[in-house]
Every structure is written in structure tokens, then in C-alpha cells.
Amino acid sequence: MNERAWTCPNCGKYVFLSEKSEQIDKGVTHHYYECDYCSEKVTIYYSDNRLRKMIKKQSKETNIVIKQANERNILERMTELRKKYE
């Protein structure tokens, strides 16, 4: 388990981060951290089938120029999903 400490922006308590996820729409997953004290959810990112395919393709790519272009496309898709679901 990969946990890090943080201060909750809602209650100010010092807690350990533990990534959680939930289905919020057909094929869309909300990835977030949740405060153990106040249950505040802090979004990490949203993913859909298209984004997951892009990330999988990115992980197999070896050409640095293509990898950088893929990274830009991934970040754009993450931004689109965040705007749509927040």
C-alpha cells in the first residue's frame, strides 16, 4: 500500500492518504482520497475507458517524442473529465 500523510483541507486533521475509487457513471471512475475524520473527498482524477486505453498505450511506448505527445493527450482527457464531473 502506498500511503502518504497530508492535512485535510476541510477539517485540518493530519491523516494518511489512501487512494479510493468509485463508479460514478457508466465506465467512469472517480479516484480520490478520503479524510478518516470528516470524510472529505479530495479528487485525484477521473478515468473512463478511453483514458484507461490511452494510459495503457503510454506505458508500452518507448519513443520519447510519441510518449510526450501521448502525455499531453492524457492530461487533456483528464481535464475534460474533471470539468464534466465536478
Side-chain angles (χ1 to χ4, degrees):
M1 189 179 329
N2 185 12
E3 291 188 341
R4 295 174 285 162
W6 70 305
T7 302
C8 175
N10 186 52
C11 70
K13 300 279 187 182
Y14 191 71
V15 296
F16 287 97
L17 293 174
S18 181
E19 185 176 337
K20 297 180 180 184
S21 62
E22 63 183 350
Q23 285 293 124
I24 59 168
D25 203 354
K26 185 176 181 179
V28 178
T29 305
H30 178 214
H31 302 266
Y32 61 93
Y33 297 123
E34 186 173 31
C35 178
D36 294 335
Y37 296 98
C38 71
S39 300
E40 174 79 5
K41 291 181 181 179
V42 178
T43 298
I44 303 167
Y45 66 99
Y46 295 89
S47 67
D48 63 0
N49 292 332
R50 181 174 151 203
L51 179 63
R52 287 188 286 272
K53 285 179 186 177
M54 293 166 76
I55 292 170
K56 186 175 182 178
K57 181 180 176 184
Q58 169 77 341
S59 69
K60 295 178 182 180
E61 184 58 58
T62 57
N63 182 307
I64 190 71
V65 174
I66 295 172
K67 208 169 178 83
Q68 288 173 341
N70 289 345
E71 183 178 331
R72 282 190 299 275
N73 292 333
I74 288 168
L75 291 173
E76 285 174 13
R77 183 64 186 156
M78 291 173 111
T79 300
E80 290 170 8
L81 290 170
R82 185 178 284 259
K83 286 179 182 177
K84 182 175 180 178
Y85 290 101
E86 285 193 342

